[in-house]
Amino acid sequence: GTRRWRVERRHDIDAFTPGLLSLYESLNPSEEHKAKQRQLIESLTNSVSKEWPNAQLHLYGSCANSFGNSHSDVDVCLQIDTAAEENIAELLLALAETLRKDDFDNVEAITSARVPIVKIADPGSGLSCDICVNNLFAVANTKLLKDYAQIDERLLQLAFIVKHWAKLRGVNETYRGTLSSYAYVLMCISFLQQREPKILPCLQAMEPTYTLVVDGTECAYFDQVDQLKDFCAENKESIAELLWAFFHYWAFHHDYRNDVISVRMGNTISKQEKNWTTRVGNDRHLICIEDPFETSHDLGRVVDRQTIRVLREEFERAATILQYDDDPCVALFEPYDYES
Ligand code: ATP
Ligand code: MG
């Protein structure tokens, strides 16, 4: 169909900023939720350290990257020195056994996933928790996201609202071929890096002050973000303007055929230079989001022919609502009904 190019932003868009800001406030996790998380982490630490006294427990994902809401799970990474012959699957099975003995509920080892984990679902607190072993890339990218979030609050506002939208519209489900929360946060960072004037810098393009070497790959960037508080002072765009522009970018301006978004470069790069132009195995590269540290990893790999259509239709729907609707905050977050 015909796409609406270069629509003028509606003149009254800023009227929706207060509503969006109060939505953002309401999505922040409650003190009660945070206390439950701390409690779960404490009992996990006790249980693990009995069996593996030298293990280190790192939090990653949204309980540590500041993008978590009241529904977010707890993601934990155990750093354990393993003998070379002991594989991760065996370790996870032993961990599951230990946790069952210590009365954790619904303990399940999932050893066949790309990142093998032990899952716990605690019906008492309503929390679920994923535990992986020695996945230090996740620890590094969690810190990167957290550091970006400290530079300008508009990143947290935009990402919370986009994640909320994606959950309600049914496009935040990797097992169904749509995108992870992590992918949406990277899309928000990349978008703010490309505003004129810029709202976020590209931390990986600056002099590194933080380095973590993971499996021979150097994860390095400038992490003294308190020095960057004035970085974004020139750009005065409000959250309503940014949300409008975010959805318009993904609906009408992103070049799906040729471009990869790259937080690492602070810009888009070409599929050609990454060799992401043809399908290899199950990687179709229909929407390309480069992982900042595991650069051969496309977070859009889960998207297929059918779900790319669903995603693009959802971006267009959101853009159109923000442009024309009298009360966009209602229509935008209307839950998608799978039955109809
Ligand atoms: P939510 O609030 O929905 O739980 P989250 O930030 O925890 O959001 P997840 O998608 O659950 O996001 O991912 C948790 C963490 O796992 C991410 O922050 C990231 O560190 C890591 N991660 C998730 N998916 C990938 C992936 N495809 N590649 C690399 N790391 C990933
Ligand atoms: Mg999570």
Side-chain angles (χ1 to χ4, degrees), residues 17 61 100 105 119 215 231 333-334 338:
T17 289
R100 276 190 206 107
D105 291 311
K119 243 182 177 346
D215 301 340
F231 181 87
F333 304 110
E334 199 175 292
Y338 283 107

Side-chain angles (χ1 to χ4, degrees), residues 60-63 65 67-69 72-73 75 114 138 141-142 145 163 167 172 180-182 291 294 297 299:
Y60 72 100
S62 60
C63 60
N65 66 16
F67 292 92
N69 59 37
S72 293
D73 55 358
D75 299 302
R114 190 185 73 88
N141 66 40
T142 293
L145 265 49
K163 270 176 68 172
K167 276 209 170 87
N172 180 204
S180 67
S181 298
Y182 176 58
D291 187 274
E294 290 175 278
H297 184 185
L299 293 161

Side-chain angles (χ1 to χ4, degrees), residues 31-49:
E31 286 309 315
E32 191 195 346
H33 183 76
K34 287 192 242 173
K36 279 183 191 164
Q37 285 191 336
R38 275 194 300 271
Q39 202 168 16
L40 176 63
I41 291 158
E42 200 178 307
S43 27
L44 258 179
T45 311
N46 288 337
S47 188
V48 168
S49 58

Side-chain angles (χ1 to χ4, degrees), residues 207-227:
E207 196 57 50
T209 49
Y210 167 85
T211 305
L212 182 69
V213 179
V214 186
D215 301 340
T217 299
E218 202 166 82
C219 304
Y221 66 95
F222 181 79
D223 78 336
Q224 312 286 298
V225 287
D226 47 327
Q227 292 173 29

Side-chain angles (χ1 to χ4, degrees), residues 287-339:
I287 175 172
C288 295
I289 303 158
E290 182 194 58
D291 187 274
F293 298 128
E294 290 175 278
T295 56
S296 64
H297 184 185
D298 177 6
L299 293 161
R301 76 202 311 170
V302 288
V303 175
D304 62 30
R305 289 259 162 241
Q306 203 239 321
T307 52
I308 188 68
R309 259 197 19 237
V310 172
L311 272 171
R312 294 186 63 172
E313 278 169 18
E314 282 298 329
F315 292 139
E316 289 184 29
R317 175 184 180 277
T320 307
I321 287 171
L322 283 165
Q323 179 69 1
Y324 298 107
D325 206 281
D326 290 336
D327 197 356
C329 291
V330 174
L332 194 59
F333 304 110
E334 199 175 292
Y336 178 78
D337 186 359
Y338 283 107
E339 306 306 315

Side-chain angles (χ1 to χ4, degrees), residues 25 81 116 137 151 154 185-186 269 290 293 310:
E25 298 295 336
D81 276 329
F137 277 117
I151 300 172
R154 287 171 289 183
V185 175
L186 292 174
I269 56 181
E290 182 194 58
F293 298 128
V310 172

